[in-house]
Amino acid sequence: MAQTLRILTAAAFAAPLLLLAQSIQTNSLLPDWLPTELPAGASYAGSRQCVRCHSEQAAALATPMGDALQTASQSEFLRGREKLTFANGPYRYEITRTPEGSLYTVTNSADGGETISTPILWSLGHGKAGQTYVLEHDGHLYESRVSYYVRIDGLEQTLGAPPGDIPRNLDEALGRRMTPDDIRGCFGCHSTGAVRAGQMEITGLTPGLQCEGCHGPGTSHIEAVAKGRFDDLQIHALKDMTAESQSDFCGSCHRTWSQVMLMDLQGPANVRFQPYRIANSRCYDADDPRIRCTACHDPHQAVVTDAKSYDAKCLTCHASADGSTEHVTTAEVSAAKDAPACPVAKERCSSCHMPRVEIPGAYFEFADHQIRVHRPDQPYPN
Protein backbone atom coordinates (compact mmCIF):
# COMPACT_ATOMS: atom_id res chain seq x y z
CA MET A 1 0.00 0.00 0.00
CA ALA A 2 2.77 2.44 0.93
CA GLN A 3 4.58 1.72 -2.33
CA THR A 4 1.38 2.31 -4.34
CA LEU A 5 0.87 5.68 -2.66
CA ARG A 6 4.43 6.65 -3.55
CA ILE A 7 3.89 5.83 -7.21
CA LEU A 8 0.67 7.87 -7.31
CA THR A 9 2.40 10.78 -5.60
CA ALA A 10 5.27 10.67 -8.09
CA ALA A 11 2.81 10.93 -10.97
CA ALA A 12 1.38 14.13 -9.48
CA PHE A 13 4.60 16.11 -9.94
CA ALA A 14 4.05 17.52 -13.41
CA ALA A 15 6.79 20.16 -13.14
CA PRO A 16 9.54 18.87 -10.82
CA LEU A 17 12.16 21.29 -9.55
CA LEU A 18 15.70 20.83 -10.81
CA LEU A 19 18.35 21.18 -8.12
CA LEU A 20 22.05 20.59 -7.71
CA ALA A 21 22.80 17.29 -6.01
CA GLN A 22 24.80 19.13 -3.39
CA SER A 23 22.14 21.37 -1.87
CA ILE A 24 18.53 22.36 -1.29
CA GLN A 25 17.79 25.78 -2.75
CA THR A 26 14.07 26.51 -2.28
CA ASN A 27 11.81 26.95 0.73
CA SER A 28 9.45 24.27 -0.59
CA LEU A 29 12.15 21.62 -0.22
CA LEU A 30 13.43 22.60 3.20
CA PRO A 31 11.87 20.57 6.01
CA ASP A 32 9.75 22.53 8.48
CA TRP A 33 12.00 21.36 11.27
CA LEU A 34 15.50 19.95 11.62
CA PRO A 35 16.44 17.85 14.69
CA THR A 36 19.50 20.08 15.16
CA GLU A 37 17.44 23.28 15.51
CA LEU A 38 16.81 24.71 18.96
CA PRO A 39 13.14 25.57 19.57
CA ALA A 40 12.16 28.83 21.23
CA GLY A 41 12.26 28.57 25.01
CA ALA A 42 14.49 25.47 25.05
CA SER A 43 18.16 25.21 25.92
CA TYR A 44 21.00 22.79 25.32
CA ALA A 45 22.73 21.13 28.24
CA GLY A 46 25.78 20.11 26.21
CA SER A 47 27.20 16.66 25.50
CA ARG A 48 29.30 16.78 28.67
CA GLN A 49 26.06 16.58 30.64
CA CYS A 50 24.79 13.69 28.53
CA VAL A 51 27.90 11.61 29.28
CA ARG A 52 27.08 11.58 32.98
CA CYS A 53 24.27 9.05 32.38
CA HIS A 54 24.99 7.83 28.85
CA SER A 55 28.71 7.18 29.00
CA GLU A 56 28.69 4.25 26.57
CA GLN A 57 26.91 6.17 23.81
CA ALA A 58 28.80 9.42 24.38
CA ALA A 59 32.17 7.70 24.35
CA ALA A 60 31.46 6.47 20.82
CA LEU A 61 30.59 9.87 19.36
CA ALA A 62 33.85 10.27 17.44
CA THR A 63 31.88 9.51 14.29
CA PRO A 64 31.78 11.13 10.84
CA MET A 65 28.50 12.79 11.85
CA GLY A 66 30.18 14.16 14.95
CA ASP A 67 32.82 15.76 12.70
CA ALA A 68 30.46 16.79 9.89
CA LEU A 69 31.54 20.41 10.31
CA GLN A 70 35.04 21.55 11.24
CA THR A 71 36.96 24.77 11.31
CA ALA A 72 39.91 25.01 8.92
CA SER A 73 42.27 24.46 11.84
CA GLN A 74 40.45 21.24 12.80
CA SER A 75 40.55 19.65 9.32
CA GLU A 76 43.32 17.06 9.19
CA PHE A 77 43.43 17.32 5.39
CA LEU A 78 44.06 21.06 5.48
CA ARG A 79 46.48 20.83 8.39
CA GLY A 80 48.52 18.14 6.67
CA ARG A 81 48.93 19.82 3.28
CA GLU A 82 50.95 22.98 2.68
CA LYS A 83 49.47 23.55 -0.77
CA LEU A 84 46.70 22.08 -2.94
CA THR A 85 46.24 23.27 -6.53
CA PHE A 86 43.72 22.90 -9.34
CA ALA A 87 43.09 24.52 -12.74
CA ASN A 88 39.84 25.00 -14.65
CA GLY A 89 40.23 26.89 -17.92
CA PRO A 90 41.92 30.21 -17.13
CA TYR A 91 41.20 29.90 -13.41
CA ARG A 92 43.92 28.72 -11.05
CA TYR A 93 43.08 27.55 -7.54
CA GLU A 94 45.32 27.25 -4.51
CA ILE A 95 44.61 26.24 -0.94
CA THR A 96 47.65 27.13 1.13
CA ARG A 97 48.40 26.55 4.78
CA THR A 98 49.12 29.60 6.92
CA PRO A 99 49.82 30.01 10.66
CA GLU A 100 46.25 31.31 11.06
CA GLY A 101 44.54 28.53 9.06
CA SER A 102 44.08 27.88 5.34
CA LEU A 103 43.77 30.40 2.52
CA TYR A 104 41.62 29.77 -0.55
CA THR A 105 42.79 31.65 -3.65
CA VAL A 106 41.42 31.77 -7.19
CA THR A 107 43.21 33.66 -9.97
CA ASN A 108 42.08 34.46 -13.51
CA SER A 109 45.28 34.03 -15.51
CA ALA A 110 43.57 35.40 -18.65
CA ASP A 111 42.57 38.69 -17.05
CA GLY A 112 45.82 40.17 -15.84
CA GLY A 113 46.06 37.85 -12.85
CA GLU A 114 42.94 39.18 -11.10
CA THR A 115 42.70 37.33 -7.79
CA ILE A 116 40.32 36.67 -4.90
CA SER A 117 41.92 35.29 -1.75
CA THR A 118 39.97 34.56 1.42
CA PRO A 119 40.38 32.36 4.51
CA ILE A 120 38.51 29.08 4.69
CA LEU A 121 35.98 29.40 7.51
CA TRP A 122 34.54 25.88 7.66
CA SER A 123 35.03 22.47 6.10
CA LEU A 124 31.89 20.47 5.37
CA GLY A 125 32.27 16.70 5.69
CA HIS A 126 34.33 14.45 7.92
CA GLY A 127 36.51 13.51 4.98
CA LYS A 128 35.64 9.88 4.25
CA ALA A 129 35.05 10.90 0.64
CA GLY A 130 36.27 14.47 0.80
CA GLN A 131 35.51 17.98 2.03
CA THR A 132 33.87 21.10 0.66
CA TYR A 133 34.64 24.51 2.11
CA VAL A 134 32.65 27.55 3.23
CA LEU A 135 34.20 30.95 2.48
CA GLU A 136 33.24 34.58 3.02
CA HIS A 137 33.59 37.25 0.35
CA ASP A 138 32.10 40.75 0.29
CA GLY A 139 29.89 39.94 3.25
CA HIS A 140 28.41 36.77 1.74
CA LEU A 141 29.05 33.09 2.36
CA TYR A 142 30.14 30.91 -0.57
CA GLU A 143 30.35 27.17 -1.11
CA SER A 144 33.79 26.57 -2.63
CA ARG A 145 33.89 25.84 -6.36
CA VAL A 146 36.49 23.14 -5.74
CA SER A 147 36.62 20.45 -3.06
CA TYR A 148 39.19 18.07 -1.68
CA TYR A 149 38.74 14.38 -2.61
CA VAL A 150 40.42 11.61 -0.66
CA ARG A 151 40.81 9.15 -3.54
CA ILE A 152 42.85 11.56 -5.66
CA ASP A 153 44.37 13.36 -2.66
CA GLY A 154 43.70 16.63 -4.39
CA LEU A 155 41.19 19.20 -5.59
CA GLU A 156 38.47 18.87 -8.21
CA GLN A 157 35.22 20.66 -8.94
CA THR A 158 32.65 20.43 -6.16
CA LEU A 159 29.97 17.83 -6.75
CA GLY A 160 27.03 19.54 -8.42
CA ALA A 161 29.05 21.95 -10.55
CA PRO A 162 28.35 21.31 -14.25
CA PRO A 163 31.08 19.02 -15.68
CA GLY A 164 33.52 20.94 -17.85
CA ASP A 165 31.80 24.22 -17.06
CA ILE A 166 34.04 27.28 -17.14
CA PRO A 167 32.94 30.07 -14.78
CA ARG A 168 31.92 33.36 -16.41
CA ASN A 169 33.72 35.58 -13.92
CA LEU A 170 35.95 35.51 -10.87
CA ASP A 171 33.09 35.61 -8.35
CA GLU A 172 31.51 32.58 -10.01
CA ALA A 173 34.90 30.86 -10.07
CA LEU A 174 35.24 31.43 -6.32
CA GLY A 175 32.15 29.33 -5.62
CA ARG A 176 28.39 29.33 -5.29
CA ARG A 177 26.95 32.20 -3.29
CA MET A 178 24.82 30.64 -0.57
CA THR A 179 21.22 31.71 -0.09
CA PRO A 180 19.65 31.86 3.39
CA ASP A 181 18.08 28.46 2.67
CA ASP A 182 21.47 27.04 1.67
CA ILE A 183 23.00 28.32 4.90
CA ARG A 184 20.23 26.85 7.02
CA GLY A 185 20.41 23.53 5.16
CA CYS A 186 24.21 23.22 5.35
CA PHE A 187 24.80 24.39 8.90
CA GLY A 188 21.54 22.91 10.16
CA CYS A 189 22.66 19.42 9.13
CA HIS A 190 26.40 19.69 9.71
CA SER A 191 26.27 21.29 13.16
CA THR A 192 24.16 21.54 16.30
CA GLY A 193 22.35 24.70 17.34
CA ALA A 194 23.04 26.83 14.24
CA VAL A 195 19.34 27.66 14.14
CA ARG A 196 17.83 28.96 17.39
CA ALA A 197 14.18 29.93 17.69
CA GLY A 198 13.99 30.03 13.89
CA GLN A 199 16.99 32.35 13.48
CA MET A 200 20.44 31.51 12.12
CA GLU A 201 23.15 32.02 14.75
CA ILE A 202 26.31 30.63 13.19
CA THR A 203 28.50 32.14 15.89
CA GLY A 204 26.73 30.07 18.54
CA LEU A 205 26.76 26.70 16.82
CA THR A 206 28.54 23.54 17.96
CA PRO A 207 30.41 21.91 15.04
CA GLY A 208 29.21 18.46 14.08
CA LEU A 209 26.14 16.48 15.07
CA GLN A 210 26.19 16.17 18.85
CA CYS A 211 23.89 14.23 21.21
CA GLU A 212 21.23 16.93 21.28
CA GLY A 213 21.35 17.23 17.50
CA CYS A 214 19.26 14.05 17.26
CA HIS A 215 17.70 13.76 20.69
CA GLY A 216 16.75 17.40 21.13
CA PRO A 217 17.69 19.96 23.79
CA GLY A 218 18.58 18.20 27.02
CA THR A 219 18.03 20.73 29.79
CA SER A 220 14.37 19.82 30.27
CA HIS A 221 15.29 16.12 30.07
CA ILE A 222 17.85 16.46 32.86
CA GLU A 223 15.31 18.31 35.00
CA ALA A 224 12.71 15.59 34.37
CA VAL A 225 15.14 12.85 35.42
CA ALA A 226 16.17 14.77 38.53
CA LYS A 227 12.50 15.06 39.54
CA GLY A 228 11.76 11.41 38.79
CA ARG A 229 9.35 12.15 35.91
CA PHE A 230 10.31 9.01 33.99
CA ASP A 231 6.99 8.93 32.13
CA ASP A 232 7.76 12.34 30.58
CA LEU A 233 11.48 12.43 29.85
CA GLN A 234 11.34 15.40 27.46
CA ILE A 235 13.67 13.80 24.91
CA HIS A 236 13.44 12.28 21.43
CA ALA A 237 13.77 8.49 21.55
CA LEU A 238 14.51 7.12 18.10
CA LYS A 239 13.95 3.54 19.28
CA ASP A 240 10.18 4.10 19.36
CA MET A 241 9.92 5.27 15.76
CA THR A 242 8.44 3.30 12.89
CA ALA A 243 10.47 2.72 9.74
CA GLU A 244 8.66 5.58 8.00
CA SER A 245 8.92 8.11 10.82
CA GLN A 246 12.60 7.30 11.30
CA SER A 247 13.19 7.60 7.56
CA ASP A 248 11.65 11.07 7.63
CA PHE A 249 13.65 11.97 10.75
CA CYS A 250 17.01 10.89 9.33
CA GLY A 251 15.91 12.12 5.92
CA SER A 252 15.63 15.68 7.21
CA CYS A 253 19.37 15.74 6.45
CA HIS A 254 19.90 12.65 4.30
CA ARG A 255 16.89 13.58 2.10
CA THR A 256 13.43 12.09 2.42
CA TRP A 257 11.70 10.21 -0.38
CA SER A 258 9.49 13.21 -1.17
CA GLN A 259 12.42 15.64 -1.28
CA VAL A 260 14.28 13.54 -3.83
CA MET A 261 11.13 13.19 -5.94
CA LEU A 262 10.86 16.98 -6.06
CA MET A 263 14.52 17.20 -7.03
CA ASP A 264 13.85 14.92 -10.02
CA LEU A 265 17.37 13.61 -9.63
CA GLN A 266 17.72 10.69 -12.03
CA GLY A 267 20.55 8.18 -12.28
CA PRO A 268 23.39 7.32 -9.85
CA ALA A 269 23.45 10.85 -8.36
CA ASN A 270 20.52 9.89 -6.10
CA VAL A 271 22.32 6.88 -4.57
CA ARG A 272 23.62 9.03 -1.73
CA PHE A 273 20.10 9.72 -0.44
CA GLN A 274 19.57 6.54 1.55
CA PRO A 275 15.99 7.14 2.84
CA TYR A 276 14.83 7.59 -0.74
CA ARG A 277 16.63 4.50 -1.99
CA ILE A 278 15.47 2.16 0.76
CA ALA A 279 11.85 3.28 0.36
CA ASN A 280 12.02 2.03 -3.25
CA SER A 281 12.98 -1.48 -2.10
CA ARG A 282 10.38 -4.24 -2.53
CA CYS A 283 10.90 -5.20 1.10
CA TYR A 284 10.27 -1.71 2.48
CA ASP A 285 7.38 -1.60 4.95
CA ALA A 286 6.60 1.72 6.61
CA ASP A 287 5.55 -0.01 9.85
CA ASP A 288 8.21 -2.72 10.06
CA PRO A 289 11.03 -1.81 12.51
CA ARG A 290 13.32 -4.38 10.88
CA ILE A 291 13.80 -2.08 7.88
CA ARG A 292 14.27 1.23 9.69
CA CYS A 293 17.58 3.09 9.68
CA THR A 294 18.73 2.11 13.17
CA ALA A 295 18.01 -1.56 12.55
CA CYS A 296 21.32 -1.63 10.68
CA HIS A 297 23.13 1.53 11.77
CA ASP A 298 24.06 2.69 15.26
CA PRO A 299 24.35 6.49 14.99
CA HIS A 300 26.72 6.47 17.96
CA GLN A 301 29.25 4.48 15.93
CA ALA A 302 31.03 5.00 12.65
CA VAL A 303 29.39 3.23 9.71
CA VAL A 304 30.43 -0.42 9.58
CA THR A 305 31.85 -1.32 6.16
CA ASP A 306 32.25 -5.10 6.55
CA ALA A 307 29.41 -6.67 4.55
CA LYS A 308 29.42 -9.81 6.70
CA SER A 309 28.56 -7.80 9.82
CA TYR A 310 25.12 -7.05 8.34
CA ASP A 311 24.15 -10.68 7.77
CA ALA A 312 22.34 -10.98 11.11
CA LYS A 313 20.27 -7.93 10.16
CA CYS A 314 19.23 -9.56 6.90
CA LEU A 315 18.27 -12.75 8.73
CA THR A 316 15.71 -10.96 10.87
CA CYS A 317 13.55 -11.04 7.71
CA HIS A 318 15.08 -13.79 5.59
CA ALA A 319 15.54 -17.38 6.66
CA SER A 320 19.17 -18.44 6.54
CA ALA A 321 20.45 -20.47 3.61
CA ASP A 322 20.75 -23.59 5.74
CA GLY A 323 17.06 -23.46 6.65
CA SER A 324 17.54 -22.05 10.13
CA THR A 325 14.84 -19.72 11.43
CA GLU A 326 16.69 -18.72 14.59
CA HIS A 327 16.94 -15.07 13.56
CA VAL A 328 13.73 -14.79 11.58
CA THR A 329 10.87 -13.82 13.87
CA THR A 330 10.84 -10.75 16.10
CA ALA A 331 8.54 -9.62 18.87
CA GLU A 332 7.43 -6.59 16.86
CA VAL A 333 6.40 -8.16 13.57
CA SER A 334 4.34 -11.21 12.67
CA ALA A 335 6.22 -14.22 11.36
CA ALA A 336 3.89 -14.14 8.37
CA LYS A 337 6.10 -11.42 6.88
CA ASP A 338 9.24 -13.56 6.88
CA ALA A 339 10.99 -13.75 3.53
CA PRO A 340 12.70 -16.69 1.80
CA ALA A 341 16.39 -17.47 2.00
CA CYS A 342 18.88 -16.49 -0.67
CA PRO A 343 19.43 -19.55 -2.93
CA VAL A 344 22.95 -18.46 -3.88
CA ALA A 345 24.99 -17.30 -0.88
CA LYS A 346 25.11 -17.91 2.86
CA GLU A 347 26.89 -14.72 3.90
CA ARG A 348 27.83 -11.16 2.89
CA CYS A 349 24.25 -10.51 1.74
CA SER A 350 24.67 -6.77 1.29
CA SER A 351 27.65 -7.14 -1.05
CA CYS A 352 25.25 -8.49 -3.71
CA HIS A 353 21.91 -6.98 -2.82
CA MET A 354 23.19 -3.50 -2.01
CA PRO A 355 25.79 -2.91 -4.74
CA ARG A 356 28.22 -0.03 -4.45
CA VAL A 357 27.63 2.74 -6.96
CA GLU A 358 29.96 5.62 -7.83
CA ILE A 359 28.57 9.06 -8.59
CA PRO A 360 30.47 10.63 -11.50
CA GLY A 361 32.80 13.26 -10.11
CA ALA A 362 32.46 12.12 -6.47
CA TYR A 363 35.46 9.77 -6.41
CA PHE A 364 33.56 7.57 -3.98
CA GLU A 365 31.29 4.53 -4.08
CA PHE A 366 28.05 4.58 -2.08
CA ALA A 367 26.20 1.46 -0.93
CA ASP A 368 22.89 1.47 -2.79
CA HIS A 369 20.13 1.15 -0.19
CA GLN A 370 17.58 0.02 -2.79
CA ILE A 371 17.72 -3.63 -1.71
CA ARG A 372 17.11 -5.91 -4.66
CA VAL A 373 18.31 -8.82 -6.74
CA HIS A 374 21.10 -7.05 -8.54
CA ARG A 375 22.18 -8.10 -12.02
CA PRO A 376 25.20 -6.29 -13.52
CA ASP A 377 23.59 -6.05 -16.97
CA GLN A 378 20.56 -4.16 -15.66
CA PRO A 379 20.41 -0.34 -15.71
CA TYR A 380 20.51 1.61 -12.49
CA PRO A 381 16.96 1.69 -11.08
CA ASN A 382 15.58 5.11 -10.19
Side-chain angles (χ1 to χ4, degrees):
M1 181 62 177
Q3 190 74 3
T4 301
L5 287 174
R6 293 181 186 284
I7 294 171
L8 291 174
T9 305
F13 296 130
L17 300 171
L18 294 176
L19 300 176
L20 294 178
Q22 187 73 1
S23 61
I24 295 177
Q25 293 182 311
T26 66
N27 277 320
S28 62
L29 290 188
L30 280 171
D32 294 331
W33 168 81
L34 288 172
T36 58
E37 296 182 0
L38 184 66
S43 63
Y44 288 125
S47 294
R48 290 184 179 180
Q49 295 297 319
C50 302
V51 74
R52 293 167 58 189
C53 294
H54 304 283
S55 57
E56 182 179 349
Q57 291 85 352
L61 276 177
T63 66
M65 288 200 303
D67 287 332
L69 181 73
Q70 300 172 323
T71 63
S73 60
Q74 291 171 324
S75 168
E76 64 175 283
F77 300 111
L78 294 178
R79 289 201 317 266
R81 288 155 182 80
E82 292 298 317
K83 181 184 287 190
L84 293 163
T85 61
F86 177 71
N88 181 21
Y91 297 101
R92 301 291 182 265
Y93 294 84
E94 284 189 357
I95 294 179
T96 52
R97 191 71 186 157
T98 72
E100 293 76 28
S102 290
L103 200 64
Y104 180 102
T105 301
V106 56
T107 301
N108 185 352
S109 60
D111 193 16
E114 184 184 6
T115 295
I116 294 177
S117 189
T118 184
I120 291 176
L121 300 181
W122 301 98
S123 62
L124 295 169
H126 171 73
K128 184 176 181 181
Q131 290 183 332
T132 298
Y133 304 108
V134 176
L135 324 161
E136 185 176 7
H137 176 60
D138 285 346
H140 299 286
L141 293 182
Y142 284 75
E143 176 190 76
S144 62
R145 178 80 182 203
V146 299
S147 297
Y148 172 82
Y149 294 92
V150 172
R151 185 187 293 176
I152 62 173
D153 189 22
L155 302 178
E156 249 289 1
Q157 291 209 89
T158 297
L159 186 64
D165 179 64
I166 304 297
R168 294 168 295 183
N169 53 58
L170 198 60
D171 270 15
E172 194 173 285
L174 178 71
R176 184 175 60 84
R177 182 169 159 178
M178 299 173 73
T179 67
D181 287 343
D182 292 331
I183 295 169
R184 179 191 166 217
C186 287
F187 286 94
C189 285
H190 285 261
S191 68
T192 303
V195 180
R196 296 169 180 257
Q199 300 297 316
M200 283 296 307
E201 294 187 17
I202 293 180
T203 55
L205 63 77
T206 300
L209 198 62
Q210 306 301 310
C211 307
E212 292 163 296
C214 283
H215 295 289
T219 299
S220 295
H221 170 65
I222 292 172
E223 292 174 357
V225 172
K227 294 177 181 179
R229 299 201 312 266
F230 299 110
D231 58 341
D232 183 25
L233 289 175
Q234 298 288 307
I235 204 77
H236 298 307
L238 275 65
K239 65 180 181 180
D240 298 326
M241 290 181 170
T242 65
E244 185 78 355
S245 61
Q246 199 172 92
S247 184
D248 285 340
F249 183 89
C250 299
S252 64
C253 285
H254 292 277
R255 305 292 190 270
T256 63
W257 184 90
S258 57
Q259 282 178 310
V260 178
M261 288 303 301
L262 283 170
M263 292 165 76
D264 190 35
L265 196 61
Q266 302 295 307
N270 63 37
V271 72
R272 57 199 287 250
F273 303 134
Q274 299 90 349
Y276 166 77
R277 297 301 295 171
I278 201 164
N280 290 339
S281 304
R282 287 182 61 189
C283 58
Y284 182 76
D285 185 327
D287 298 318
D288 193 333
R290 297 177 296 181
I291 198 68
R292 66 187 179 184
C293 306
T294 55
C296 291
H297 301 297
D298 181 353
H300 306 103
Q301 303 281 348
V303 175
V304 177
T305 57
D306 179 13
K308 191 173 182 179
S309 68
Y310 292 99
D311 290 346
K313 313 294 185 181
C314 302
L315 292 176
T316 61
C317 292
H318 295 268
S320 66
D322 61 5
S324 169
T325 58
E326 178 183 357
H327 303 288
V328 172
T329 58
T330 67
E332 300 94 340
V333 183
S334 166
K337 292 186 178 180
D338 292 332
C342 177
V344 177
K346 294 183 179 182
E347 62 180 17
R348 302 179 63 82
C349 314
S350 63
S351 63
C352 284
H353 298 287
M354 298 177 67
R356 302 195 71 82
V357 176
E358 181 166 340
I359 300 175
Y363 300 101
F364 188 78
E365 293 180 336
F366 296 82
D368 188 358
H369 281 61
Q370 183 164 331
I371 303 167
R372 63 190 186 275
V373 176
H374 170 64
R375 295 181 175 86
D377 59 335
Q378 291 181 336
Y380 177 83
N382 283 300

